[in-house]
Amino acid sequence: MVVLKGNTKWSFMKRISDLAIVLNISCLFIPRISVFWVLIIAVSSCGGGSDEGLLSGDAGTIVPSGNELLTWQSGVFFDKAAYQAMCADPRTGPNPFDENRPFPDELGSVAHENFYLRSWTNDLYFWYDEVVDQDPNLFTTAEYFDELKTMERTPSNRLKDNFHFSENTANYLTRTVSGETFGYGMNLVFASVNVPRLLIVRDVVPGSPAAVAGVERGMEIVTIDGEDLVSGGDVDTLNNGLYPPALEEDHTFDFLPVGSNTAVELTLTSANIESVPVKAVTTIDTASGGVGYVHFNSHIRPAERHLYDAFTSLQGSGVSDLILDLRYNGGGLLAIAGQVGYMVAGSQSNGDTFYRLAFNDKQSSGSPIPFHSESLGFSEDLNAGIDLPTLNLSTVYILTTGGTCSASEAIINGLMGIDVDVVLIGDTTCGKPYGFFPQDNCGTTYFTVQFAGVNADNFGEYPDGFSPSNIPNAPGVSVPGCRVEDDFEHLLGDPEEALLAAALQYRDDGSCPALPSSSKALVKSSQKSKVGILSGLRLPREYPGLNNAIIQP
């Protein structure tokens, strides 16, 4: 018998004390990138306490050795540390994300990896008692991880856990630390997944290959590498063009610009794309005063400086109201969400809790996350401890869609918790009040729900999202505001763009615009997934890890 003493950790785990906690639906395990512990929350979707017990073996746990370790007994769980870093295909050489220290991996098997996930899930999963215990020896690792979650449903009949996913660790860390993604820099959405298909560009990253080539919001993709996207059957060609497997690949697209019947041919080259977290900051003059507009895309580390500059500018302009555009913001660092909350509400936050984590009954609760009134040093050119600007507003208008997730929803919930009047313009948010600690094992980072979050009023039950109040029988938590369809015929930040125009109208007289019928109305995400799989055409989607929130305690 092998006895694992209390707080046993692999040396690798000791070195990655900068672990991030992710909230889904979005929010990282980031070794050695700061002196802090970074927590990422995916409410899809990531402050919380750094409870050592969450990352270590239980005191005095006894586990068998040899083949007994890989023999499944229903309901019997051995310490996860006995299996950790025992890999079917161990990594070798220096780890570039851990100061080039050697990888911790040792030669093991698929069974070792599966038994690790089983014990890890039983310790930390928020709904561990709703997981059906199955023999790890009967599955591949990917298949087994998919089974390690609850199959229960929300009041609206959605799966309670829509946030369970894994990702190659190197890819994950490259994206979350640097803010880089891989592709062309255009954000796509299907308005129709059935033939005739309709695939629309909803946003473009400034300076990206797509932007440089002339791609704009609202353009429709007609062909890819000569294959008809609207009705063509060669989905391999379409998918290879949409999702190039390597950097510096050239693919030719025919785009139909807004208001035109003539397609334009553009060649796009795949590249690493650096995210631009704050795309637009403007002041809109109205008869009743200036209204600030901030288009905020992602709670990544560089966003701290961008937001500091944005709110400093708006504070200097003396705006009387704010429209915060979170329609495509899937989340990121929850600490940055707490900063945004303070920059909106200022003294109204009054030291209250922005977000508090609650774990399963095997773990203790985490420390509350405050409304941060100072910089935290996320950006290289903004030192920690700098006072943040604030607009001291009692009302804020937030533009939302189903892509508003995790840390973005935490902003909504956090402000509501201190009685700031939140008005939603757009559509129901994604519904990610839960989160997780990302965990690397054998080159794959796993995300499984490990906590729920609540605001200063102790509220956090929004698994079906937040809904503008004029949506009849909306499944989400009803919030004052208007349902408005996303408008692809105007650029974001244009006062004539539908969501922004509706926010200005609601601010002016409290009314909502009539809902237009639109040929580009989006299908529900569940329908998109089902039809996309049946058709063989991959659906455009952001990395799951972006739909999270990151916490900096």
Side-chain angles (χ1 to χ4, degrees), residues 195 197 222 227-235 238 535 537:
V195 173
R197 306 182 189 99
V222 180
E227 177 64 16
D228 180 12
L229 181 135
V230 178
S231 57
D234 186 355
V235 295
L238 296 174
S535 71
L537 184 62

Side-chain angles (χ1 to χ4, degrees), residues 509-552:
D509 60 17
S511 68
C512 295
L515 283 174
S517 58
S518 172
S519 62
K520 297 181 181 180
L522 303 183
V523 297
K524 297 295 184 183
S525 59
S526 59
Q527 296 172 316
K528 289 194 294 182
S529 298
K530 180 177 179 181
V531 179
I533 292 172
L534 292 175
S535 71
L537 184 62
R538 291 173 59 190
L539 294 163
R541 61 193 294 264
E542 302 224 358
Y543 289 100
L546 293 180
N547 294 328
N548 300 288
I550 304 168
I551 303 172
Q552 175 64 58

